[in-house]
Amino acid sequence: MAKTATGKARSYDPAKVRAALAAQTEALRAAVHRLCGDPAAAALLERPTRLGQWRVRQLVAHLALQLAWLPNNLDQSPQGRRPLGLTAWVAEVGSLAELLDAGTQAHAAEDFAGGPAAVAAGFDAAADALLALLDGAEVRDPQRRFEIRLGSMTLADLLVTRLVEAVVHADDLAAALELPAFPHDRFALASVCRLLADAFAAQQPGGAVELRIPPFAVVQAVPGPRHTRGTPPNVVESDPLTWVRLATGRQAWAAALDAAQVSASGERSDLAAFLPVMA
């Protein structure tokens, strides 16, 4: 696991992760219901998103798939795949883009092809399945392992990946619908920022740059002279949502700089070549 700026391995309290995932899921449900209850819902579902060819309909279908993954795979049998940690998942999940796209398109065509009421009902089914599970005894063993395409993950880590899906795609939904802001659960947003910062540090190990995402994370990364005392010579600072967008390829480094959404000081502080962290 990646180290924080203090050198300690990052951990996520399973109970807090479950509570955050439940809160983020309910916030998403409320957003989907507002969307589907809008008089212009049919047109809004066909709006483009920043995710290639996906429309809002496909985005909602994908969110439902991701939220329902654990309930749908609760009874799977172990397959002995290699252990997979969180920072490795961030680095490798992009390799599944074609498979995820195919699954999303099929789910949208089969289960989310109806009108707005049917879309809301389909999302409700996925959300209800996850929320019921989060309240049950089946998720009380954080070391229980689940098999995904990339490897074998502990339940504790798998639930953090669901936070990533719920936060990143909630921001995608807000962008597509031109909403002023999405009411992210604070712990969910903090966890996603920290994981993406840790993944950046794991992919670009070193101590030449200090990346700050107040109030949630600080990591040191990038090869070069390591800072030990005083003010670091190379500092990058970003607000949480800008960092999420940079780290996942939703926003370009140059655009964030031009908009003063990120500050960068020092000759090694240009992170353009290292982004995105999660493709």
Side-chain angles (χ1 to χ4, degrees), residues 86-118:
L86 281 169
T87 56
W89 176 81
V90 170
E92 298 175 28
V93 70
S95 67
L96 302 178
E98 290 187 7
L99 286 171
L100 291 172
D101 178 61
T104 294
Q105 296 289 1
H107 192 46
E110 294 169 7
D111 300 310
F112 282 76

Side-chain angles (χ1 to χ4, degrees), residues 36-261:
C36 293
D38 192 293
L44 292 174
L45 285 168
E46 303 311 317
R47 273 197 176 192
T49 71
R50 55 193 182 188
L51 301 172
Q53 299 301 310
W54 286 7
R55 302 287 172 168
V56 169
R57 184 184 300 274
Q58 280 75 29
L59 176 55
V60 174
H62 179 75
L63 270 164
L65 271 178
Q66 298 307 308
L67 295 178
W69 191 94
L70 185 56
N72 289 343
N73 289 272
L74 193 62
D75 298 326
Q76 67 172 217
S77 299
Q79 299 174 31
R81 290 193 174 102
R82 63 169 180 133
L84 182 74
L86 281 169
T87 56
W89 176 81
V90 170
E92 298 175 28
V93 70
S95 67
L96 302 178
E98 290 187 7
L99 286 171
L100 291 172
D101 178 61
T104 294
Q105 296 289 1
H107 192 46
E110 294 169 7
D111 300 310
F112 282 76
V119 171
F123 189 87
D124 278 342
D128 288 343
L130 176 62
L131 293 171
L133 184 62
L134 293 176
D135 282 336
E138 298 94 337
V139 294
R140 293 303 186 265
D141 178 8
Q143 297 308 309
R144 179 180 175 182
R145 302 200 77 86
F146 286 83
E147 307 288 332
I148 66 172
R149 293 182 187 274
L150 295 171
S152 172
M153 296 195 85
T154 64
L155 174 60
D157 284 352
L158 181 63
L159 288 174
V160 176
T161 70
R162 299 309 88 183
L163 282 183
V164 175
E165 297 284 351
V167 168
V168 172
H169 290 313
D171 191 53
D172 291 333
L173 183 62
L177 297 177
E178 299 179 351
L179 302 178
F182 187 90
H184 297 284
D185 175 82
R186 179 180 171 84
F187 186 85
L189 180 58
S191 298
V192 174
C193 285
R194 290 165 183 156
L195 174 55
L196 293 173
D198 289 347
F200 170 66
Q203 291 173 27
Q204 305 299 332
V209 176
E210 185 164 285
L211 171 64
R212 301 172 179 173
I213 309 144
F216 297 141
V218 177
V219 297
Q220 292 185 358
V222 181
R226 179 175 291 276
H227 159 70
T228 56
R229 297 182 62 185
T231 302
N234 303 286
V235 176
V236 172
E237 185 167 318
S238 164
D239 66 89
L241 279 175
T242 296
W243 170 242
V244 169
R245 294 164 188 159
L246 287 169
T248 60
R250 268 68 175 174
Q251 187 168 9
W253 172 258
L257 279 177
D258 288 345
Q261 294 171 317

Side-chain angles (χ1 to χ4, degrees), residues 6-21:
T6 63
K8 296 181 180 179
R10 186 89 63 187
S11 61
Y12 301 85
D13 183 294
K16 291 182 179 180
V17 170
R18 291 195 301 271
L21 183 55

